[in-house]
Amino acid sequence: MDFPGCASVRRANRSAIRLREMEFNRSSNLDDTTLLLLLEEWSLTPSGTNTKMFLISPVVCLVAGVLIIPTILFVIFSRFKIRQETRYMLLGNALLSDLIYLLFYTLSAALNAAHLHLPKEACVLLLFLLAVAYCGGLFTAVAIVLDTYIAVLFPLRYAAILPPSRTKRVLVLLWMCSAAFPGIFFLVLWTTHSFVPCALEMCSVPVILILTLNKTDAVKLCFWLSTTVIILCLSVIFCCYAILYFKTKHSGIWESICSRASVTFVMHNTVLFFYFFPLLALFVESFLGINVFIRLQTGILVSLTVCNVLMILPKVLFPFLYGLRYREISASLKSIVRRKQLHPLSPAPPPS
């Protein structure tokens, strides 16, 4: 599908592109048509075809995620005792968000690598679902930390504070917040006409980030609002873990570096680091790009690395480093495997 103006962009002569290559390497403060033309031409050049290598990471992570995440979700939802506990419901919600994000982002990256263009409405819907899934995983990670905080500091009142019925309401609230936050951002982009039609045709998340962050003050306001929310989430997590450490440092669970508490603490922080570091790196790169401190080509490569590698990696690490550390889940998986291995074969019928 072609949008008005997109065809004229592609009909621009090659000499204009060559004349602007120096400007492309020097600045990111360009008009929409010029910027999109340069981005598209850059992606189609021999050096730009190397960007298809960034598709390997989403595909590999999707395959690994499809193999492990549905298995853990099956264990959680098939065991009544497990699915009634708050920590497992939060874990299942985080895994479901990550699986949705892996599916939709790999689809977006594959379509863009194959130069298959989506209608504008389909691209906007795809981007919105990606934002909802990512926010769902992010907010659930914060909820998991808060759940750990309550369970450790208030063990006798934990069941009364977070019964299964209240946890289900918390999950509904998390999804509502996950939809509302990107919904406000998309509404601002739509009402201020900050969505570039040709960029929506390409439907590449890194390219759209580069284009939209070159826009109006309203978009920059959303950018700083998103940064504030991320910093608040990080602050909540840091405060919870700091309080937990100082409250339990005299209990003896931290004496051995190989103790389960120490290893679990390291695992949790590793997963959370991989969740939040890509966002911080993306915000720093976007800030530098907005203020023309880095070249546009460098900004695109950084955005590709962050979006296709760093933001995808924690989605696969989370079930391995976090989910499989729960004894009930690992024991259930082992029992399922053992049951399949020991399943007796039906005896052959006796000879007549």
Side-chain angles (χ1 to χ4, degrees):
M1 179 177 178
D2 249 347
F3 297 98
C6 295
S8 61
V9 167
R10 292 193 183 89
R11 286 195 299 266
N13 56 58
R14 302 286 175 173
S15 60
I17 298 170
R18 295 191 189 96
L19 289 175
R20 289 178 175 177
E21 282 180 351
M22 292 297 295
E23 190 177 6
F24 172 68
N25 290 326
R26 186 172 63 248
S27 173
S28 63
N29 190 21
L30 305 173
D31 61 273
D32 295 337
T33 304
T34 302
L35 186 55
L36 180 70
L37 177 61
L38 293 173
L39 287 171
E40 189 173 13
E41 288 299 321
W42 178 78
S43 66
L44 294 174
T45 56
S47 60
T49 55
N50 294 329
T51 58
K52 293 184 179 180
M53 297 294 294
F54 287 98
L55 183 61
I56 296 176
S57 176
V59 171
V60 172
C61 290
L62 176 63
V63 172
V66 167
L67 290 177
I68 186 63
I69 292 178
T71 307
I72 298 178
L73 290 175
F74 172 77
V75 170
I76 292 175
F77 291 111
S78 64
R79 306 287 196 275
F80 177 80
K81 182 180 178 181
I82 292 180
R83 70 172 181 263
Q84 289 299 307
E85 294 192 33
T86 298
R87 54 180 176 168
Y88 294 125
M89 284 193 279
L90 291 174
L91 174 64
N93 192 67
L95 292 176
L96 181 61
S97 300
D98 290 348
L99 183 61
I100 294 173
Y101 184 85
L102 282 172
L103 288 171
F104 284 120
Y105 188 84
T106 305
L107 173 63
S108 171
L111 290 175
N112 188 64
H115 301 290
L116 297 177
H117 298 152
L118 287 175
K120 179 179 65 174
E121 292 78 10
C123 181
V124 171
L125 178 61
L126 181 60
L127 294 174
F128 179 75
L129 292 175
L130 278 172
V132 171
Y134 197 89
C135 289
L138 207 63
F139 294 155
T140 306
V142 178
I144 288 174
V145 175
L146 291 174
D147 173 68
T148 304
Y149 175 84
I150 296 173
V152 173
L153 294 188
F154 307 101
L156 299 179
R157 298 171 53 194
Y158 176 75
I161 295 174
L162 283 176
S165 59
R166 185 171 296 171
T167 303
K168 292 175 183 178
R169 291 196 291 269
V170 170
L171 292 178
V172 173
L173 180 62
L174 286 175
W175 279 107
M176 290 175 61
C177 293
S178 301
F181 183 68
I184 295 172
F185 186 78
F186 274 66
L187 183 62
V188 171
L189 291 177
W190 196 268
T191 55
T192 57
H193 304 284
S194 295
F195 274 127
V196 182
C198 298
L200 292 179
E201 183 185 341
M202 294 176 67
C203 208
S204 169
V205 175
V207 171
I208 289 175
L209 286 174
I210 292 291
L211 288 169
T212 54
L213 290 174
N214 251 354
K215 301 295 288 185
T216 62
D217 292 335
V219 178
K220 294 179 181 179
L221 177 62
C222 289
F223 169 79
W224 289 115
L225 178 63
S226 303
T227 306
T228 303
V229 171
I230 298 301
I231 292 175
L232 286 175
C233 291
L234 282 174
S235 301
V236 170
I237 291 173
F238 177 79
C239 290
C240 288
Y241 274 137
I243 294 172
L244 283 176
Y245 174 77
F246 286 111
K247 291 283 188 180
T248 59
K249 68 176 182 178
H250 299 298
S251 62
I253 63 176
W254 307 103
E255 290 181 358
S256 173
I257 195 173
C258 296
S259 65
R260 183 171 181 82
S262 299
V263 174
T264 302
F265 183 76
V266 172
M267 292 292 186
H268 287 196
N269 280 276
T270 301
V271 171
L272 291 170
F273 171 79
F274 279 113
Y275 260 103
F276 285 93
F277 174 75
L279 291 176
L280 295 176
L282 188 62
F283 286 137
V284 171
E285 180 271 325
S286 301
F287 174 78
L288 295 176
I290 290 173
N291 293 277
V292 203
F293 289 133
I294 60 175
R295 295 189 311 166
L296 181 61
Q297 186 172 356
T298 303
I300 296 174
L301 291 175
V302 172
S303 296
L304 282 169
T305 303
V306 171
C307 294
N308 287 29
V309 181
L310 297 181
M311 295 180 75
I312 293 291
L313 193 59
K315 310 299 182 184
V316 178
L317 291 177
F318 186 79
F320 289 100
L321 297 182
Y322 195 97
L324 294 181
R325 285 201 48 83
Y326 285 113
R327 293 189 180 95
E328 291 85 352
I329 291 179
S330 58
S332 298
L333 289 176
K334 290 178 183 178
S335 65
I336 292 174
V337 174
R338 193 180 301 113
R339 191 181 302 118
K340 288 183 177 181
Q341 291 176 345
L342 299 178
H343 190 273
L345 297 175
S346 56
S352 55

